[in-house]
Amino acid sequence: MASNLIWFVTLYLLVSICIGLYAATKVKNSTDFVVAGRHLPLPFIVATVFATWFGSETVLGIPAKFLNEGLRGVVADPFGSSMCLILVGLFFARPLYRLGLLTIGDYYRGRYNRHIEVAASVCIVLSYLGWVSAQITALGLVFSILTDGAIQPWQGMILGVAIVLVWTLSGGMLSVAFTDLFQMTVIMAGMIYIAYVISGLVGGPAVVLDHAAQAGKFEFFPKLAARDVIAFVGAWATMALGSIPQQDVFQRVAAARTERIAGNGSVIGGSLYFCFAFVPMFLAYSATLLDPALIERYLTSDSQQILPRLILTHAPFAAQVFFFGALISAILSCSAATLLAPSVTVAENILRPLMPDLADWQFLRMLRGVVLLFACAVLTFALVSNSSIYGMVESAYKITLAAAFTPLAFGLYWRKATSQGAALAMVAGLTTWLALEFIHPDASMPPQLAGLLASIAGMVVGSLLPQWYGQARHHAPAHAI
């Protein structure tokens, strides 16, 4: 049966690759490669928003966190991450879409200056190391489990990167969009079917929910103590706000046919993600009733393996095919999107200004080269990292929360924001976050939240102080100057 499952998974991978390669035939220029020619309809935008975020942390990381800490432990994801997508759709998608930019880094250059563009782009690129590495780590884990250890996790990581590179290098955002539409269908159908099968084995959904409620797993809000409340807000803000200034989010906005599709697609995709993120949690908790020995074995050693081991041990073959198809769909779609986004940022906002006479076909070639190099960097990071999948994803957005969110939000909605304010916001946010991260990472105020507050203060002071000083000099008597 195991060999049959591997054959089905292999067939699925081949179908995904063929879809990506077909989409690649429609790529004619760098705009097609980066933002899919700006002509994607609503179903594609919804699919690519949903499939990008429904990744390894959703299927493997969130359930593991939920089993250990309950709903309170997953405030960052899915509660914060889905809110990010909804906030983008409501407040950021339309004004950014109207600018007709290629990357989110272009916004920082147009609103402020070249220095802010480079600084923000570097922060955004660095934030992707953890996120993309989480997907690669998950691919290695899945391939190892599927082959019963015949493929080691590190070998699975290399294989996974190679598969993702095939359609990402060839078709960019167009290939990602086409494969995401296919993979979202597999994810949604697979999750619904598996939940139906597993709930039937334990006596129905009500049994699982009642057991979880009695175990206190549905306690969401923190205790009314300052330290707990601040930590709760910090975890939520890291994902809800820190993931807004990200190239993958912006690409989905920019790839839409109209600004209305850009906004609605992000809201609908975020809402769908929030709903379906609870299915893996339900499945993982079902294991406490179906196989307590499995929970005892993996909860303390590697809780990320609980859900796939449960499916392999207790689910019928059809459910196994659907589960691993959905799981690999989630990881591959997320991997492709998060590999493409930082590569585009490096090429467009860091390298291209150094080569102003670059033709479009040369830029497209450079884009593909950067994708390949970034894939190698991410693979190396994944191989040496010891963090959990959930931890990698949650940590990825601390740098953008502290450095990039405030210049973006204030630049869009505060006319007095200046380049000096943006610079001071980034410096204050980064130095505060890094200082606390090294000196006192367990302080009552999470370092990244302190960085956000410092960034906001830096923006206000840096923008208003020079204006006040200039006005004071203008109105001062001549002898006082």
Side-chain angles (χ1 to χ4, degrees):
M1 184 176 291
S3 60
N4 290 336
L5 180 59
I6 293 172
W7 277 112
F8 271 101
V9 170
T10 302
L11 177 63
Y12 168 77
L13 291 173
L14 289 174
V15 171
S16 296
I17 290 172
C18 289
I19 292 174
L21 293 177
Y22 165 75
T25 62
K26 301 179 179 295
V27 174
K28 307 301 181 186
N29 51 50
S30 59
T31 302
D32 290 339
F33 190 87
V34 177
V35 289
R38 306 186 198 276
H39 61 247
L40 292 182
L42 182 61
F44 277 88
I45 297 299
V46 171
T48 195
V49 167
F50 173 87
T52 298
W53 284 74
F54 202 99
S56 62
E57 73 283 0
T58 313
V59 184
L60 301 177
I62 291 177
K65 194 80 170 176
F66 175 74
L67 287 174
N68 284 297
E69 303 178 30
L71 280 184
R72 192 176 297 156
V74 296
V75 60
D77 194 5
F79 289 93
S81 54
S82 56
M83 182 55 67
C84 158
L85 297 173
I86 293 171
L87 289 175
V88 167
L90 294 176
F91 300 107
F92 293 88
R94 288 172 172 82
L96 287 175
Y97 184 88
R98 295 184 198 119
L99 297 175
L101 306 174
L102 198 63
T103 69
I104 188 68
D106 291 343
Y107 169 80
Y108 292 96
R109 181 181 67 244
R111 181 62 175 83
Y112 302 112
N113 56 44
R114 168 70 177 155
H115 301 294
I116 301 300
E117 173 196 15
V118 173
S121 298
V122 169
C123 291
I124 290 169
V125 170
L126 289 175
S127 73
Y128 276 96
L129 277 176
W131 192 8
V132 189
S133 296
Q135 314 312 315
I136 302 307
T137 300
L139 280 173
L141 176 65
V142 171
F143 286 137
S144 180
I145 292 174
L146 272 175
T147 59
D148 198 22
I151 295 178
Q152 295 298 310
W154 67 270
Q155 295 171 322
M157 292 182 196
I158 296 174
L159 176 61
V161 168
I163 293 170
V164 173
L165 278 175
V166 169
W167 72 69
T168 307
L169 283 175
S170 58
M173 186 61 191
L174 262 178
S175 290
V176 169
F178 273 76
T179 52
D180 278 355
L181 186 62
F182 167 67
Q183 289 163 345
M184 186 187 81
T185 305
V186 174
I187 292 169
M188 295 176 70
M191 287 291 121
I192 291 172
Y193 174 69
I194 297 159
Y196 169 77
V197 171
I198 296 298
S199 64
L201 295 175
V202 296
V207 174
V208 179
L209 297 176
D210 288 344
H211 193 279
Q214 292 175 11
K217 296 299 181 182
F218 293 153
E219 294 178 3
F220 178 66
F221 292 102
K223 298 176 182 178
L224 293 179
R227 184 185 183 92
D228 293 334
V229 172
I230 293 173
F232 183 87
V233 173
W236 177 85
T238 300
M239 294 289 281
L241 305 181
S243 49
I244 288 176
Q246 291 287 350
Q247 176 59 20
D248 65 286
V249 175
F250 174 80
Q251 276 181 283
R252 276 128 196 85
V253 169
R257 182 182 296 164
T258 65
E259 67 176 70
R260 181 177 180 182
I261 290 175
N264 292 344
S266 187
V267 171
I268 296 171
S271 301
L272 284 175
Y273 172 74
F274 179 77
C275 295
F276 274 86
F278 286 94
V279 179
M281 284 187 267
F282 171 83
L283 294 173
Y285 195 81
S286 299
T288 61
L289 302 177
L290 194 59
D291 195 342
L294 181 73
I295 293 290
E296 185 177 353
R297 179 181 178 186
Y298 288 105
L299 191 59
T300 55
S301 60
D302 189 359
S303 54
Q304 296 167 157
Q305 293 199 40
I306 289 176
L307 188 49
R309 295 290 181 186
L310 172 72
I311 299 299
L312 283 174
T313 306
H314 295 283
F317 180 72
Q320 293 179 21
V321 172
F322 268 101
F323 173 78
F324 282 99
L327 175 57
I328 292 176
S329 291
I331 299 172
L332 289 179
S333 58
C334 192
S335 300
T338 52
L339 184 61
L340 178 64
S343 304
V344 168
T345 301
V346 170
E348 166 70 9
N349 300 111
I350 297 176
L351 298 180
R352 192 174 194 175
L354 302 176
M355 297 172 275
D357 298 326
L358 209 63
D360 189 74
W361 68 268
Q362 293 173 314
F363 176 63
L364 188 56
R365 178 182 293 179
M366 182 178 70
L367 264 174
R368 291 186 166 114
V370 174
V371 170
L372 181 60
L373 291 175
F374 194 79
C376 295
V378 164
L379 177 60
T380 303
F381 185 86
L383 289 171
V384 302
S385 177
N386 294 318
S387 300
S388 68
I389 292 171
Y390 191 94
M392 285 185 189
V393 172
E394 186 178 7
S395 298
Y397 301 108
K398 292 180 179 180
I399 185 172
T400 45
L401 178 68
F405 173 74
T406 298
L408 173 63
F410 276 69
L412 285 174
Y413 288 103
W414 193 42
R415 282 184 287 183
K416 293 185 178 181
T418 65
S419 298
Q420 296 96 324
L424 188 57
M426 298 184 77
V427 171
L430 281 175
T431 53
T432 302
W433 166 59
L434 288 173
L436 290 177
E437 199 73 59
F438 283 104
I439 297 171
H440 200 350
D442 298 321
S444 56
M445 171 74 74
Q448 71 273 20
L449 186 58
L452 172 64
L453 297 178
S455 178
I456 293 173
M459 171 60 79
V460 174
V461 172
S463 296
L464 294 183
L465 196 58
Q467 297 177 33
W468 290 338
Y469 179 71
Q471 291 173 0
R473 285 180 58 85
H474 178 73
H475 293 293
H479 68 274
I481 299 178

